[in-house]
Amino acid sequence: MKLAYWMYAGPAHIGTLRIASSFNNVHAIMHAPLGDDYFNVMRSMLERERNYTPVTASIVDRNVLARGSQEKVVDNIVRKDREETPDLIVLTPTCTSSILQEDLQNFVERARMDAKGDVMLADVNHYRVNELQAADRTLQQIVQFYLEKARKKGELPEGKTEKPSVNIIGLTTLGFHNNHDCTELKRLMGDLGIEVNQVIPDGASVHNLKTLPRAWFNLVPYREVGLMAAQYLETEFGMPYVGITPMGIVETARCIRKIQQVLNAQGAQVDYEDFIDTQTRFVSQAAWFSRSIDCQNLTGKKAVVFGDNTHAAAITKILAREMGIHVVLAGTYCKYDADWFREQVSEYCDQVLISDDNAQIGDAIARLEPSAIFGTQMERHVGKRLDIPCGVIAAPIHIQNFPVGYKPFVGYEGANQIVDLVYNSFTLGMEDHLLEIFGGHDTKEVITKGISAESDLNWTKEAQAELNKVPGFVRGKVKRNTEKFARDRGIAQISLEVMYAAKEAVGA
Amino acid sequence: MTVAQEPQALTFECETGNYHTFCPISCVAWLYQKIEDSFFLVIGTKTCGYFLQNAMGVMIFAEPRYAMAELEEGDISAQLNDYEELKRLCLQIKRDRNPSVIVWIGTCTTEIIKMDLEGLAPKLEGELGIPIVVARANGLDYAFTQGEDTVLAAMAARCPSQTPVAEGEKSDRNAIQKLLNFGKKKEEVVQEESEYRDHPPLVLFGSLPDPVVTQLTLELKKQGIKVSGWLPAKRYTELPVIEEGYYVAGVNPFLSRTATTLMRRRKCKLIGAPFPIGPDGTRAWIEKICSVFNIEPQGLAEREQQIWESLEDYLQIIRGKTVFFMGDNLLEISQARFLIRCGMIVPEIGIPYMDKRYQGAELALLEKTCQEMGTPLPKIIEKPDNYNQLQRIHEMQPDLVITGMAHANPLEARGINTKWSVEFTFAQIHGFTNARDILELVTRPLRRNNSLKDLGWDKLVKEDAKV
């Protein structure tokens, strides 16, 4: 047992559901107790999704506990198949259902006989993998399922596309700025003259998966999701993949050079050096920023970085290499992939922290006293408590991290966005210090607020206490309305009763 | 909607139970705030923790007095000793927070692996010197607000059975302690006491925000009825005295286990009344309590009338409109009854679980309200099936759907107004004073429409309504 207040990565089934619901017309059925379907809430709320989340639960209740699911799961799969005719139904175990050790594979086999669409069981162990690992595995599983199916039917398309083309793998629903990153990556590929064969899983159709091998290579922008699928495609179809996250000016260039190498190895004869140079020096603002006086002022400032592997590693490199900021600590909660992280950031920071215990990270931040933090929502709250500004760079995230405006993290526009994020975090911190030194803003305090600030009315102790319970931002209004009510009726003493009578009368 | 001939009595149906609701462990979010010296330990998996973290949003950042005891593979396969593990965590909690009570929330996983929490608690309680209350608030058995019911039922067993003789700390709301405290402010106390009629002790149950507790207590005081205690109180150490023969009344419709426990275990008499939600409900609630104590209620009719008059601006917005309850928090019957009185039409009330005995008076009032308002009786659907409900919603196009967050945005995108049901759980909706707050919530989407009408973008999905 572990005492936990907060977790960075969710349970495994969330990863599976993120993949399933990213595809078009794929439905997930969770074998879960009542209330475990809050994934739908998260998707509907955070992503402001207009469509019903294609996830339902086959409820595990007392009866299931006593007698097993029996026909229930099969019936639910077949029913959903009829109702919505999805291309694929993914049966998703949860941590509760995995202890029941029911033969879910058998349910899937039986449901397959009656369902028109495909049915599969997500192969994830809830006690061994987290959300990210499960997402990676589920995506690979679905890709493999459809490629093997196509191969068996002899439907695998032959050869490559005429022009160089790419599959972008790993963009999912509820991923950090994934939708903006997707647009930016497509634009980048367009600029490079590379056709986008497919983007998976976001918005993809499982029927098109068989054309994946037609692309010249695969691009996996995130370390956490998509690697397994890319590695599968490499072993089965000899497709090379590029696993460099194009985040920050230097890494974007490195990613593009790798793409160039991969394409030229297949006879494309492309040269992207001019493109990289123009983008870096004249189009993107990030490189120029690093030379500007603003950025000079950031030199040697201390920062702490924490997040998932992709974002924490990329931001660490950007801060240290592109802005001259002193990264005192870089950390990740992807413990299962810690070696990769260490190897990526070791030369760019003083100290590496691999942990999913937020207290440990909070303590480290308090001890190091950086001028800015780049982390998850949790680090933002640590920052609030310690009065240190924080830029959010990775999940877990809140609704404000699903901006409506265009805010990619990858590519050249992504580099611009990151500059803003970093710069704003630090200047805010500076302003704060200056204000502290000079004793606050140089403005006169507002002494009166409205007409009835000077009160001739008495509040009883109880009423005063009750008033103090009213949240600060409406307290003044409640007070004024109550006193107005009392004055209108010639009441001199405001008691609890008067207070509530006033509320009833005027909705104070 | 098509109005068929009026049915004679309420109809009850039961669907498949494939509906969306919150897991009952969510009750820790409001109970830890209510019971200030408590610590809630949820013994479950990552799934439970992730739910709390996401469902409770920012609340978790304010140093919450709750945590997960996250079960690992070794716990599931019993390689680790439950008792030793729980002892280790509870010692840590005692050291860091020093609470007056630790509440263990059992989850689906502890049920399935049959972890004997009720057996372990008394042993550990002895060793630790802190009371440990066990509530099995799991998704196998319960929905959302029923979580509070399981906690309060467990707390009911911990209420002292005798008035304590000596009194240390004094609370201003605990009337019994006030009685004993003759030392200070003697005149005031005596004068206050004389305002009460002579009646057997009454204890109310149900967790409400403190301002609402004050309001309802004052409301009964106006009738000369003294509330001798409230389950739960602000602090665990202030749990009310419950002796055999005390009267108890519920303030929320989802407290049937607590009611049963108070009747069977504590030998209390339950006052079965409609719930004080809406001015009609509040009046009926007070009247029922008065009638049990043989007290003639004073000025209630005028008071209700006054409240209705103050609501007129909101009533104008909703009169004649239809509202569909998908069902997830068990407040549905009372809310529907209030909204029908407001002039709305309710075709369907979805509800997770329907205790016809505990909600008997409320159901009767619902039926009576429909008859008086001349509206058709709603269909009550227990354990609804959300998919079927969405079909019915798309067919009947109600003016408002009260639903969980999973369906709210998709329905809005299809031009159907929604109100999140969860907000009613956290908003102050009880008593005369808060009737306006309910309508504030109910009318919000309709008022929003007034400001956005004529813009021409009420339907925002391309193909129509494929669920």
Side-chain angles (χ1 to χ4, degrees):
Chain A
M1 264 178 230
K2 203 170 82 179
L3 196 65
Y5 296 89
W6 171 267
M7 61 185 70
Y8 284 97
H13 71 270
I14 297 288
T16 297
L17 297 181
R18 274 175 60 185
I19 297 299
S21 62
S22 294
F23 278 107
N24 205 357
N25 209 24
V26 170
H27 200 100
I29 293 186
M30 305 165 66
H31 189 235
L34 195 64
D36 271 5
D37 60 350
Y38 59 87
F39 175 79
N40 300 27
V41 175
M42 289 173 58
R43 185 152 183 273
S44 177
M45 292 296 298
L46 298 178
E47 298 242 290
R48 271 179 229 96
E49 181 56 55
R50 302 174 196 217
N51 286 310
Y52 297 104
T53 302
V55 174
T56 38
S58 175
I59 304 282
V60 175
D61 57 14
R62 279 283 155 193
N63 291 330
V64 171
L65 227 51
R67 308 197 322 264
S69 290
Q70 297 186 331
E71 300 302 312
K72 200 171 179 181
V73 177
V74 179
D75 287 349
N76 278 323
I77 295 175
V78 174
R79 178 185 157 186
K80 200 41 76 182
D81 182 68
R82 300 270 143 79
E83 284 170 353
E84 300 189 30
T85 55
D87 298 327
L88 167 69
I89 290 178
V90 182
L91 181 60
T92 311
T94 58
C95 53
T96 309
S97 74
S98 58
I99 324 170
L100 291 174
Q101 303 198 322
E102 286 194 274
D103 190 357
L104 296 180
Q105 188 58 49
N106 174 40
F107 294 153
V108 166
E109 306 292 343
R110 278 164 52 207
R112 265 183 195 153
M113 295 191 280
D114 290 327
K116 290 201 183 62
D118 296 310
V119 188
M120 70 159 61
L121 174 68
D123 168 38
V124 289
N125 180 327
H126 274 76
Y127 292 91
R128 305 224 170 131
V129 299
N130 68 19
E131 168 187 354
L132 300 168
Q133 293 162 289
D136 202 15
R137 167 70 181 132
T138 304
L139 181 58
Q140 186 255 332
Q141 206 190 342
I142 293 175
V143 167
Q144 182 172 358
F145 179 87
Y146 279 98
L147 285 172
E148 280 176 4
K149 190 177 163 187
R151 180 180 276 161
K152 239 179 256 164
K153 286 188 174 175
E155 286 175 353
L156 272 185
E158 292 287 321
K160 299 287 173 191
T161 55
E162 201 181 315
K163 282 169 127 190
S165 61
V166 62
N167 298 316
I168 304 175
I169 300 180
L171 295 153
T172 65
T173 185
L174 288 173
F176 182 71
H177 290 239
N178 274 19
N179 47 349
H180 307 304
D181 284 357
C182 181
T183 311
E184 185 64 18
L185 287 172
K186 282 183 188 165
R187 194 165 88 177
L188 182 62
M189 293 304 125
D191 289 349
L192 296 174
I194 299 170
E195 278 172 9
V196 176
N197 186 50
Q198 275 191 61
V199 176
I200 60 166
D202 200 28
S205 159
V206 288
H207 295 312
N208 294 340
L209 290 177
K210 60 174 177 280
T211 69
L212 281 174
R214 282 181 55 77
W216 290 36
F217 73 105
N218 293 314
L219 176 63
V220 184
Y222 309 118
R223 175 77 189 168
E224 291 77 18
V225 181
L227 264 190
M228 281 179 85
Q231 281 157 355
Y232 165 78
L233 290 167
E234 186 178 44
T235 357
E236 286 296 308
F237 300 92
M239 294 180 76
Y241 71 86
V242 175
I244 299 166
T245 306
M247 204 176 286
I249 292 286
V250 178
E251 289 297 287
T252 302
R254 200 160 75 90
C255 176
I256 295 173
R257 290 197 180 101
K258 178 77 185 172
I259 291 173
Q260 174 179 311
Q261 186 195 332
V262 162
L263 293 181
N264 285 343
Q266 297 174 63
Q269 292 181 320
V270 289
D271 183 359
Y272 294 138
E273 287 305 329
D274 280 348
F275 173 79
I276 294 172
D277 185 58
T278 317
Q279 284 288 335
T280 305
R281 291 199 296 141
F282 307 111
V283 180
S284 157
Q285 296 297 315
W288 156 234
F289 172 81
S290 67
R291 287 295 300 186
S292 71
I293 300 299
D294 285 338
C295 191
Q296 212 179 77
N297 286 337
L298 298 181
T299 306
K301 288 240 173 292
K302 287 201 293 185
V304 165
V305 181
F306 192 82
D308 59 9
N309 266 357
T310 303
H311 292 88
I315 297 291
T316 302
K317 290 184 206 165
I318 293 172
L319 292 177
R321 198 161 55 182
E322 298 177 23
M323 297 183 180
I325 290 162
H326 180 190
V327 180
V328 283
L329 178 138
T332 179
Y333 55 82
C334 297
K335 282 161 78 173
Y336 62 94
D337 197 16
D339 293 342
W340 180 86
F341 186 77
R342 263 198 209 92
E343 181 212 311
Q344 293 289 310
V345 302
S346 291
E347 55 177 309
Y348 300 109
C349 63
D350 299 352
Q351 198 186 331
V352 175
L353 175 67
I354 311 287
S355 170
D356 54 7
D357 175 2
N358 76 279
Q360 211 183 331
I361 294 122
D363 290 347
I365 293 173
R367 192 178 66 242
L368 295 164
E369 293 183 70
S371 327
I373 311 165
F374 298 92
T376 70
Q377 278 291 340
M378 195 62 215
E379 282 67 49
R380 192 171 74 84
H381 285 271
V382 171
K384 259 190 188 168
R385 272 174 62 186
L386 300 174
D387 250 339
I388 302 171
C390 176
V392 175
I393 54 142
I397 38 186
H398 287 333
I399 193 150
Q400 68 263 40
N401 303 112
F402 289 87
V404 177
Y406 187 53
K407 289 202 161 51
F409 266 64
V410 298
Y412 289 106
E413 177 55 26
N416 290 344
Q417 296 290 339
I418 293 171
V419 163
D420 282 344
L421 179 79
V422 171
Y423 184 62
N424 289 341
S425 303
F426 277 108
T427 28
L428 288 178
M430 283 278 268
E431 259 172 40
D432 249 19
H433 290 311
L434 290 175
L435 287 175
E436 213 163 272
I437 292 165
F438 296 117
H441 281 283
D442 185 21
T443 45
K444 284 212 176 94
E445 203 187 329
V446 181
I447 295 169
T448 52
K449 260 190 191 160
I451 41 162
S452 57
E454 207 54 49
S455 170
D456 51 347
L457 291 163
N458 281 325
W459 287 68
T460 65
K461 212 176 76 203
E462 293 78 23
Q464 187 62 51
E466 195 70 13
L467 181 67
N468 289 339
K469 282 184 209 153
V470 175
F473 59 96
V474 286
R475 196 180 300 145
K477 184 180 159 218
V478 171
K479 185 165 187 248
R480 274 198 301 279
N481 284 344
T482 309
E483 292 187 348
K484 182 168 181 298
F485 173 88
R487 215 172 272 130
D488 289 349
R489 284 161 185 73
I491 301 168
Q493 170 114 340
I494 296 178
S495 62
L496 274 179
E497 282 91 342
V498 175
M499 233 183 124
Y500 291 125
K503 185 180 180 208
E504 284 158 21
V506 292
Chain B
M1 55 164 290
T2 51
V3 181
Q5 86 279 20
E6 278 182 37
Q8 294 307 302
L10 289 167
T11 50
F12 296 90
E13 279 175 38
C14 190
E15 281 192 311
T16 60
N18 278 324
Y19 63 101
H20 166 76
T21 183
F22 272 179
C23 173
I25 59 171
S26 52
C27 69
V28 305
W30 66 88
L31 287 176
Y32 91 78
Q33 292 186 341
K34 173 70 193 178
I35 308 170
E36 289 170 1
D37 53 352
S38 62
F39 191 99
F40 284 78
L41 184 67
V42 181
I43 304 162
T45 58
K46 255 186 178 337
T47 305
C48 313
Y50 202 60
F51 163 70
L52 281 176
Q53 172 174 324
N54 286 294
M56 298 313 135
V58 291
M59 268 196 273
I60 69 152
F61 300 112
E63 288 258 334
R65 278 173 286 102
Y66 75 74
M68 290 292 308
E70 193 183 315
L71 300 170
E72 290 163 304
E73 207 166 7
D75 298 302
I76 305 297
S77 51
Q79 285 162 339
L80 296 166
N81 180 310
D82 297 338
Y83 183 77
E84 290 304 323
E85 291 296 298
L86 282 168
K87 183 176 164 187
R88 184 169 59 80
L89 300 194
C90 288
L91 275 171
Q92 196 182 333
I93 291 165
K94 184 184 175 183
R95 193 188 62 218
D96 296 346
R97 307 295 181 99
N98 196 28
S100 313
V101 62
I102 297 177
V103 182
W104 285 354
I105 302 287
T107 62
C108 303
T109 310
T110 56
E111 288 297 310
I112 294 172
I113 63 174
K114 306 213 184 315
M115 194 183 279
D116 181 20
L117 298 178
E118 275 96 344
L120 297 173
K123 258 188 2 195
L124 194 53
E125 190 172 303
E127 257 187 86
L128 222 62
I130 296 180
I132 295 174
V133 172
V134 180
R136 293 153 64 157
N138 61 70
L140 294 169
D141 300 306
Y142 305 108
F144 198 10
T145 48
Q146 288 181 292
E148 175 182 322
D149 194 21
T150 62
V151 174
L152 295 190
M155 290 263 177
R158 301 301 183 113
C159 291
S161 50
Q162 266 181 1
T163 314
V165 188
E167 209 30 77
E169 233 182 333
K170 176 187 169 292
S171 119
D172 18 359
R173 208 168 289 116
N174 194 329
I176 287 188
Q177 291 172 356
K178 220 177 253 175
L179 234 184
L180 295 167
N181 197 344
F182 286 115
K184 286 173 261 172
K185 291 194 252 166
K186 198 175 173 183
E187 296 105 320
E188 203 182 303
V189 172
V190 169
Q191 183 234 334
E192 233 174 67
E193 288 307 312
S194 66
E195 290 171 22
Y196 294 116
R197 307 277 291 266
D198 188 31
H199 64 82
L202 171 70
V203 172
L204 300 179
F205 58 95
S207 164
L208 293 178
D210 293 334
V212 184
V213 167
T214 317
Q215 287 159 13
L216 288 180
T217 309
L218 279 173
E219 219 57 76
L220 288 172
K221 186 180 159 194
K222 283 185 187 154
Q223 305 301 334
I225 294 169
K226 193 170 74 177
V227 179
S228 22
W230 203 294
L231 172 70
K234 248 170 110 74
R235 302 175 65 81
Y236 178 78
T237 47
E238 291 166 8
L239 278 180
V241 172
I242 297 181
E243 288 182 50
E244 193 173 332
Y246 274 27
Y247 280 82
V248 291
V251 297
N252 265 324
F254 45 76
L255 298 171
S256 39
R257 280 175 68 91
T258 311
T260 313
T261 309
L262 288 169
M263 286 191 294
R264 299 215 178 125
R265 297 284 187 77
R266 307 303 303 252
K267 313 283 179 220
C268 293
K269 291 172 189 157
L270 177 71
I271 302 175
F275 301 99
I277 292 169
D280 50 339
T282 309
R283 178 181 170 188
W285 183 70
I286 297 173
E287 277 178 347
K288 183 65 193 279
I289 295 174
C290 284
S291 80
V292 169
F293 292 149
N294 276 321
I295 293 171
E296 183 69 30
Q298 302 296 316
L300 268 187
E302 298 77 30
R303 187 144 167 70
E304 192 198 346
Q305 191 49 39
Q306 244 174 4
I307 298 290
W308 282 117
E309 276 161 21
S310 71
L311 299 178
E312 185 52 34
D313 51 338
Y314 279 159
L315 296 181
Q316 277 174 6
I317 302 175
I318 54 173
R319 238 173 237 138
K321 299 234 158 62
T322 47
V323 52
F324 188 108
F325 287 86
M326 286 188 77
D328 81 334
N329 58 13
L330 283 94
L331 294 170
E332 292 87 2
I333 302 286
S334 313
Q335 270 181 13
R337 178 260 302 149
F338 168 54
L339 292 181
I340 290 171
R341 178 61 75 186
C342 289
M344 296 189 88
I345 297 155
V346 182
E348 175 167 334
I349 308 176
I351 187 167
Y353 168 72
M354 181 75 245
D355 185 335
K356 287 186 200 160
R357 283 213 301 186
Y358 176 64
Q359 294 222 46
E362 184 62 86
L363 287 168
L365 184 59
L366 171 66
E367 217 173 318
K368 191 173 140 224
T369 304
C370 288
Q371 277 150 11
E372 286 176 7
M373 299 300 291
T375 42
L377 286 160
K379 249 197 290 181
I380 296 174
I381 311 271
E382 207 181 343
K383 290 178 178 292
D385 184 297
N386 279 168
Y387 181 85
N388 296 344
Q389 284 186 315
L390 289 174
Q391 308 296 321
R392 296 198 286 269
I393 287 169
H394 286 302
E395 200 177 309
M396 67 173 73
Q397 297 281 319
D399 296 299
L400 181 67
V401 176
I402 296 185
T403 178
M405 301 200 202
H407 295 114
N409 269 338
L411 280 168
E412 289 283 354
R414 283 157 184 77
I416 292 174
N417 300 312
T418 59
K419 186 78 224 130
W420 297 337
S421 50
V422 176
E423 284 192 74
F424 294 100
T425 321
F426 295 118
Q428 303 187 356
I429 60 168
H430 292 75
F432 286 122
T433 320
N434 297 309
R436 209 177 160 78
D437 295 47
I438 309 178
L439 291 188
E440 161 75 25
L441 289 176
V442 169
T443 56
R444 192 175 295 159
L446 304 167
R447 285 180 287 129
R448 183 264 330 259
N449 287 356
N450 282 339
S451 15
L452 299 189
K453 71 179 176 208
D454 306 332
L455 289 174
W457 60 58
D458 58 331
K459 289 209 173 59
L460 295 148
V461 280
K462 276 183 186 148
E463 87 281 43
D464 216 354
K466 190 189 170 197
V467 176

